[in-house]
Amino acid sequence: MLQLPPLSLYIHIPWCIEKCPYCDFNSHKLRGDIPEKEYLNALVDDLKQDLSFVQGRDLFSIFIGGGTPSLLSASGIKWLLEKTQQLIPFSQEIEITLEANPGAIENQKIADFKQAGITRFSFGVQSFQQEKLTKLGRIHGVEEAKTAAKQAHNVGMKTFNLDLMHGLPNQSVDDAMSDLKTAITLKPTHLSWYQLTIEPNTQYFSHPPKLPDDETLWDIQERGVKLLAEHGYHQYEISGYSQKGWQCQHNLNYWRFGDYLGIGCGAHGKVSLPLENKILRTTKIKHPKGYLDPKRTYMNDCINVDKNELVFEYMMNRLRLMEAIPFQEFENYTGLHVNVLSAQLKQATQKGLIVVNEINCQVTPLGHRYLNELLTIFMD
């Protein structure tokens, strides 16, 4: 029988100072001032319309992403979190993350956001080489990125993340390792280290830069994982590396097929309804103009996930993690019996992509290397 998983909340802030050429997120270049009060009120109204999905749960985590959420005032974030807690109780150890651009957050603002209730920052650094930052269209410089990390320590943040990319235009293996070594010296508890990909509807898609070849990319990945492990950063998901005990709880809930409400422009949500034995995917109005139109509802789409798609939906998320996949969790959070996996698990085992025992299955190193091939097995 379908059971309720933990519940998280994603809040989308759609504005950026500049749109990066590689970015395919729902973000909009800021023209004039942010309509902060109007947007914050809309977020609260949006959340109120989703309250039937809460079903008695506390909030496990909150992630404020974008766009550039650090463009908002700390007082505005404080007000939003207070209103949210009035509507949905927070768990005792709730993790509240704010994405921040080092070029759009001053030292005092970091302290102010912490006072407002933020427990974790995620700084969009991408590289510690100015040439690469310029090519990526980033508005911050190398020293600003270092200063943001140091200030997070100074104000007593227990945990923060640095976002780094590899496979950048004309990047060598030594360039990539230099970025990682600089990041490590700043002592974040968490690193998101992921490969640049060229996505449709981006400037890079229209005018592709010269990226490293496959052999260089593989060398970067192998050496990077080894370097991070030597300094206590263990890979717990495809692009996530953390010191012991500091995994991103919000992301863990995503990948373990937990539920999450999504509020704000274009925000996605996933909610389980055990009494109706169904799982919903929700999407909110994408453009700020439409989202703030009082004549429109915030919900753009609400889709019932077909039972035939649930196996792939679950595995598409769960296979991101390095940990074993408990069969009991699969049954609890999909409402399906584990026997529906038998044929796919047998095929994946024969190819050496997964090992199986009575209570769980574990992706092998080969399976992680050929993850797309493994995923296709669960599409059938």
Side-chain angles (χ1 to χ4, degrees):
M1 179 180 172
L2 183 64
Q3 295 184 17
L4 282 176
L7 179 68
S8 296
L9 173 65
Y10 175 73
I11 302 171
H12 191 73
I13 311 300
W15 294 283
C16 285
I17 294 175
E18 293 287 343
K19 179 80 171 178
C20 296
Y22 57 85
C23 178
D24 69 335
F25 294 158
N26 182 32
S27 59
H28 304 266
K29 182 176 178 178
L30 187 61
R31 303 183 189 280
D33 296 329
I34 290 178
E36 180 171 310
K37 185 176 180 181
E38 186 182 7
Y39 192 72
L40 291 174
N41 281 321
L43 287 172
V44 174
D45 289 342
D46 188 356
L47 183 59
K48 287 177 180 176
Q49 293 184 13
D50 278 359
L51 288 180
S52 63
F53 297 143
V54 175
Q55 302 168 92
R57 289 173 287 183
D58 294 350
L59 274 181
F60 175 77
S61 65
I62 298 174
F63 195 102
I64 307 172
T68 307
S70 54
L71 290 172
L72 296 184
S73 67
S75 60
I77 292 294
K78 184 174 189 280
W79 180 87
L80 177 60
L81 292 176
E82 288 172 349
K83 290 294 182 181
T84 300
Q85 191 170 17
Q86 290 169 14
L87 294 170
I88 311 174
F90 289 3
S91 67
Q92 191 172 357
E93 299 297 326
I94 189 170
E95 173 194 86
I96 305 176
T97 301
L98 179 84
E99 285 188 335
N101 187 316
I105 187 167
E106 307 85 19
N107 288 349
Q108 183 57 47
K109 210 170 181 183
I110 291 175
D112 292 343
F113 278 130
K114 181 175 183 289
Q115 286 294 110
I118 299 302
T119 67
R120 181 179 183 272
F121 285 106
S122 181
F123 294 114
V125 173
Q126 315 314 352
S127 177
F128 287 101
Q129 297 172 40
Q130 190 57 54
E131 175 201 353
K132 300 293 189 289
L133 291 174
T134 302
K135 186 73 173 176
L136 291 170
R138 303 297 292 173
I139 65 168
H140 70 274
V142 174
E143 291 307 313
E144 287 174 302
K146 293 178 180 178
T147 299
K150 290 172 183 175
Q151 184 63 10
H153 285 296
N154 291 341
V155 302
M157 292 299 294
K158 292 182 180 179
T159 179
F160 67 89
N161 170 66
L162 297 181
D163 256 356
L164 280 180
M165 284 184 173
H166 61 86
L168 303 180
N170 301 312
Q171 187 180 49
S172 67
V173 177
D174 287 343
D175 286 340
M177 294 307 102
S178 174
D179 274 350
L180 277 182
K181 288 173 184 176
T182 302
I184 289 166
T185 65
L186 296 170
K187 299 181 179 178
T189 51
H190 190 284
L191 279 162
S192 295
W193 188 56
Y194 50 95
Q195 184 180 325
L196 171 65
T197 56
I198 306 299
E199 302 292 347
N201 302 314
T202 64
Q203 188 179 325
Y204 271 3
F205 188 79
S206 303
H207 302 91
K210 181 175 173 54
L211 301 181
D213 59 33
D214 288 344
E215 185 176 346
T216 301
L217 290 172
W218 184 248
D219 286 347
I220 288 172
Q221 182 70 24
E222 280 198 316
R223 285 182 56 180
V225 171
K226 182 180 178 184
L227 176 66
L228 288 165
E230 288 171 351
H231 289 85
Y233 294 92
H234 297 286
Q235 186 177 20
Y236 70 96
E237 59 126 326
I238 288 177
S239 303
Y241 302 78
S242 76
Q243 297 282 349
K244 186 176 181 180
W246 291 113
Q247 297 97 327
C248 176
Q249 297 304 304
H250 189 83
N251 283 352
L252 281 176
N253 194 41
Y254 278 163
W255 310 140
R256 288 171 178 164
F257 215 53
D259 280 358
Y260 52 96
L261 306 178
I263 61 172
C265 297
H268 292 258
K270 176 249 170 185
V271 289
S272 305
L273 301 176
L275 294 180
E276 301 174 44
N277 194 33
K278 63 184 181 182
I279 292 172
L280 304 178
R281 292 282 186 189
T282 63
T283 312
K284 301 301 171 63
I285 293 290
K286 187 172 184 180
H287 197 279
K289 186 176 181 180
Y291 185 81
L292 293 172
D293 183 347
K295 297 188 292 293
R296 298 182 66 171
T297 179
Y298 300 109
M299 188 73 76
N300 185 57
D301 213 355
C302 185
I303 299 172
N304 183 14
V305 179
D306 190 280
K307 295 290 183 187
N308 295 327
E309 298 173 359
L310 268 179
V311 168
F312 179 69
E313 285 256 350
Y314 177 87
M315 285 298 180
M316 183 174 61
N317 287 278
R318 209 51 174 81
L319 290 174
R320 289 186 63 98
L321 295 173
M322 300 299 167
E323 66 187 23
I325 303 172
F327 293 140
Q328 188 63 58
E329 178 192 89
F330 171 81
E331 293 187 345
N332 291 345
Y333 294 169
T334 65
L336 303 173
H337 194 280
V338 70
N339 287 349
V340 302
L341 294 174
S342 296
Q344 292 103 321
L345 289 177
K346 182 178 180 181
Q347 185 180 350
T349 301
Q350 289 172 342
K351 292 186 174 184
L353 304 176
I354 273 182
V355 292
V356 178
N357 61 35
E358 291 182 357
I359 61 171
N360 61 40
C361 62
Q362 174 72 62
V363 181
T364 64
L366 185 67
H368 284 298
R369 184 171 182 177
Y370 296 103
L371 194 59
N372 287 338
E373 180 181 344
L374 178 56
L375 268 173
T376 59
I377 292 173
F378 292 101
M379 290 179 70
D380 300 331

